[in-house]
């Protein structure tokens, strides 16, 4: 019995050490399992967030098509897969092209409003010039005031647009909405449908006189976070729009 008790005492540290290793390995296995489950849940949550975001955008596009008077167009829904890193040339690439009926100068919208127009096309994709590109321009209207003008970008201004060439610039107020002007002229047809929302007046620099007023516009579309777009294709010949 004394020998047995001595042996047990001598072997107890070793048994405790092996037990500690076993418990540690079990804990590590449990930790690894929980981490895998956490990572899987994170991935599923991220996928759900992307799907919800895209569903919201598609819903917005559907509402725009229904309420925006775009029945004369055949919208082609596309996905953005590349963005231009340039400050001066603001473009995105979409996964639809000439094989889908997309043509150069077709207007491009999302559920928030006007995004830009098609700049170039290949068989399976296209480059979209955004409102903030230095080469972009569109005739516009502040419907509440009835004042026409034109929209041009302000390079390096963080996405601001300029509502310019307004005859009665003093009539424009902060908060006014601005839309595409639209025209049904067959002699001078232009690209953009009438009454597509472009943006909202965010501030007015008054300068020294009425001619020096600079009307700054914030785009309605979030141009930094574009995912789902629609190209407005195949307008009927008798319904040209600006």
């Amino acid at each position: 019995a004394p020998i047995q008790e001595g042996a047990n005492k001598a072997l107890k540290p070793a048994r405790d050490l092996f037990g500690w290793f076993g418990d540690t390995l079990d804990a590590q296995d449990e930790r690894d399992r929980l981490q895998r489950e956490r990572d899987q849940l994170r991935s599923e949550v991220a996928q759900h967030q992307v799907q919800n975001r895209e569903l919201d955008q598609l819903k917005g596009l559907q509402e725009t098509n229904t309420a925006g008077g775009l029945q004369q167009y055949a919208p082609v829904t596309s996905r953005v897969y590349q963005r231009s890193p340039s400050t001066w040339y603001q473009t995105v690439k979409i996964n639809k092209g000439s094989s889908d009926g997309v043509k150069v100068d077709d207007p491009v919208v999302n559920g928030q409003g006007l995004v830009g127009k098609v700049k170039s096309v290949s068989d399976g994709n296209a480059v979209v010039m955004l409102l903030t590109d230095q080469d972009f321009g569109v005739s516009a209207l502040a419907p509440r005031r009835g004042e026409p003008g034109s929209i041009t970008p302000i390079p390096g201004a963080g996405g601001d647009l300029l509502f310019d060439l307004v005859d009665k610039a003093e009539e424009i107020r902060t908060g006014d909405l601005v839309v595409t002007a639209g025209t049904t002229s067959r002699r001078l047809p232009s690209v953009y449908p009438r009454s597509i929302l472009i943006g909202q007046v965010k501030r007015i620099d008054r300068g020294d006189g009425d001619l020096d007023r600079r009307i700054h516009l914030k785009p309605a579309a979030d141009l930094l976070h574009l995912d789902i777009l629609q190209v407005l294709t195949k307008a009927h010949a008798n319904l040209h729009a600006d």
Side-chain angles (χ1 to χ4, degrees), residues 50-64:
V50 169
Q51 291 170 358
N52 288 337
R53 177 180 173 85
E54 292 183 353
L55 285 173
D56 288 341
Q57 294 182 44
L58 289 169
K59 181 180 178 182
L61 283 168
Q62 184 178 13
E63 292 172 353
T64 298

Side-chain angles (χ1 to χ4, degrees), residues 133-159:
D133 189 280
Q134 66 171 3
D135 292 331
F136 190 88
V138 56
S139 59
L141 176 72
R144 184 178 179 185
R145 314 291 172 181
E147 290 299 320
S150 65
I151 295 295
T152 55
I154 307 176

